[in-house]
Amino acid sequence: MTDDPLMEKVEQSMGSGVNDQAVIREVRVARRPQGTVRPEDFVLAEAAPLPQLSDGQVRVALRRLGMNAGMADGMRERTNSGRPGMALGAVPRSDAVLEVLESRSDAFAPGDLAVRSWSPWREMDVVDADELRRVPAERADLPLESHLTVLGHVGFTAWVGMVRVGEVRETDTVYVSGAAGGVGSCAVQFAAAHGARVIASAGSPQKVALLQELGADAAVDYHDGPTVELLRAMAPDGIDLFFDNVGGDQLEAALDTLRLRGRAVLCGAVSQYGREGTGPRNYLRMIYQELTLYGFTVTEHEDLRPAFEREAIRLVRDGRLISIHTVLNGFDRIPEAFSALQTGGNRGRMIVAA
Ligand SMILES: NC(=O)c1ccc[n+]([C@@H]2O[C@H](COP(=O)([O-])OP(=O)(O)OC[C@H]3O[C@@H](n4cnc5c(N)ncnc54)[C@H](OP(=O)(O)O)[C@@H]3O)[C@@H](O)[C@H]2O)c1
């Protein structure tokens, strides 16, 4: 037990069939967010004791945990997708780099590193080995964070959206919203690597400077004026492809700016999470400009992962794809890290080092 005021007191039984190990902490959903998610919407609690390993299982320790902006919607009672949200008391999950501590699987030995796509926000866990993707030995020189960014979930999301769904071309002018975040920073780099002209927006001058370093031909702080005016100044002849992480005003401005037969890839809508999302006021532009809007969900495209990894690792080794991340140190900072996503507190992917 702990004196930490956030730490819920949980009775721990240490009966037979469990490891006699130190307290393992987890983060739970404590209450429904009122608008923006706050650290107090989570509670740090003592996890139930882990079971003994069965054949094919490994015991893992959390090393790095990725934060996903979209989970803010999943914390509502009913999500924008129409599905019920997470139960109160549930332990959220996201992608993580784990270290194998103990193994009853031929696939892993203690000390191996692995990525798990839906890892509970818990310091230690017992997991079936087939849920893990090994970090190959030849990538051991890369920072652990890169397995959650350029080579991981957000990189894969950006690549599926930009390269496969959006079919980015050399002749395209591409606009990326929410461009200095986890997905956005990868989307900008993939579009640039494919030879497109890239324009982008984010929420501060420092993030604008970062976007230019990442290869954006022009970038703006969306606080500096109406988005449609900022966009027209960067692309007087219009845009061909819009990669949207934000929705709302950003989507409306892009619809006003897309050229004839332009395409929009709807990756996310961070401005709409925590509220009833509304459609764009100017959707009739889709008719007059013969526009196509493509929504996608990355988990439906797992078959593309080998093609993504081949391209991403080549670009990383060539220095053309850089991991942009903000790291908070300490498992107990997960609530703080997650809520910072809502207020632009991250540069690139928000990651907690446990
Ligand atoms: N389709 C899929 O399968 C899939 C998979 C993963 C993620 N996603 C989506 O991709 C998007 C990006 O995810 P991420 O994890 O990379 O998040 P992120 O971009 O790292 O973090 C969110 C960022 O959004 C910006 N933001 C927050 N509220 C905003 C607002 N009202 N208007 C404009 N910008 C705002 C903030 O940056 P600023 O300082 O720039 O405002 C913040 O840092 C999310 O919408 C997420 O749900 C989709």
Side-chain angles (χ1 to χ4, degrees):
M1 291 294 173
T2 169
D3 293 333
D4 186 334
L6 272 180
M7 185 87 166
E8 199 176 79
K9 302 292 177 197
V10 179
E11 286 303 315
Q12 189 179 23
S13 72
M14 298 296 284
S16 60
V18 297
N19 289 318
D20 186 11
Q21 62 211 354
V23 167
I24 298 168
R25 294 177 297 173
E26 64 186 19
V27 175
R28 299 178 186 164
V29 177
R31 64 182 190 193
R32 301 280 172 214
Q34 303 296 315
T36 303
V37 180
R38 301 170 59 82
E40 297 77 22
D41 296 334
F42 300 97
V43 65
L44 209 55
E46 197 174 311
L50 296 181
Q52 298 282 13
L53 293 190
S54 300
D55 282 344
Q57 289 189 319
V58 293
R59 185 161 62 90
V60 288
L62 183 64
R63 293 291 174 246
R64 297 287 185 279
L65 182 67
M67 299 285 108
N68 292 327
M71 204 193 80
D73 185 46
M75 291 175 71
R76 302 170 74 212
E77 197 152 349
R78 184 154 289 276
T79 68
N80 283 333
S81 70
R83 285 193 286 266
M86 279 180 274
L88 294 180
V91 178
R93 288 173 178 258
S94 53
D95 53 327
V97 178
L98 307 167
E99 182 181 340
V100 174
L101 300 179
E102 190 185 351
S103 175
R104 283 189 61 183
S105 156
D106 293 340
F108 290 97
D112 284 349
L113 291 173
V115 176
R116 186 180 184 188
S117 294
W118 297 106
S119 195
W121 290 4
R122 185 177 294 131
E123 287 177 302
M124 213 179 270
D125 205 13
V126 166
V127 56
D128 291 343
D130 58 12
E131 274 191 54
L132 304 178
R133 291 192 307 279
R134 169 193 294 283
V135 173
E138 63 272 19
R139 295 183 196 167
D141 59 316
L142 299 174
L144 286 187
E145 290 77 19
S146 62
H147 307 297
L148 303 181
T149 57
V150 284
L151 300 173
H153 176 66
V154 296
F156 187 38
T157 302
W159 188 86
V160 169
M162 185 64 78
V163 179
R164 284 303 165 95
V165 180
E167 295 184 336
V168 65
R169 299 163 204 156
E170 244 176 46
T171 49
D172 282 339
T173 294
V174 179
Y175 173 52
V176 181
S177 67
V183 175
S185 59
C186 294
V188 165
Q189 295 182 85
F190 282 125
H194 280 254
R197 174 169 188 264
V198 188
I199 61 177
S201 67
S204 71
Q206 293 78 6
K207 290 183 179 180
V208 167
L210 167 72
L211 294 174
Q212 285 159 341
E213 282 167 37
L214 293 181
D217 297 278
V220 287
D221 179 342
Y222 60 82
H223 298 106
D224 284 350
T227 305
V228 72
E229 286 176 21
L230 297 170
L231 205 40
R232 284 199 179 120
M234 288 190 291
D237 297 329
I239 59 175
D240 302 287
L241 175 60
F242 174 43
F243 187 104
D244 192 16
N245 290 305
V246 171
D249 292 351
Q250 292 284 335
L251 177 56
E252 288 179 358
L255 290 181
D256 275 338
T257 319
L258 278 162
R259 288 184 183 138
L260 188 70
R261 300 200 189 93
R263 299 105 68 203
V265 175
L266 308 184
C267 175
V270 69
S271 73
Q272 303 300 301
Y273 300 153
R275 59 172 76 171
E276 295 303 323
T278 54
R281 282 180 295 106
N282 54 350
Y283 80 96
L284 292 181
R285 289 272 304 172
M286 292 177 65
I287 300 172
Y288 308 135
Q289 289 291 91
E290 298 196 350
L291 306 178
T292 309
L293 273 59
Y294 302 92
F296 79 100
T297 294
V298 70
T299 47
E300 298 297 316
H301 298 272
E302 198 53 39
D303 56 308
L304 297 177
R305 193 178 288 275
F308 154 70
E309 287 201 350
R310 276 195 301 277
E311 180 170 334
I313 195 73
R314 178 173 53 77
L315 292 173
V316 167
R317 293 298 183 201
D318 288 353
R320 295 165 70 201
L321 180 59
I322 299 164
S323 176
I324 307 296
H325 48 260
T326 300
V327 179
L328 295 193
N329 287 305
F331 183 84
D332 55 345
R333 298 186 74 188
I334 292 174
E336 180 193 342
F338 184 78
S339 69
L341 284 180
Q342 326 273 296
T343 50
N346 60 311
R347 186 177 175 272
R349 184 100 199 258
M350 179 64 93
I351 291 175
V352 174

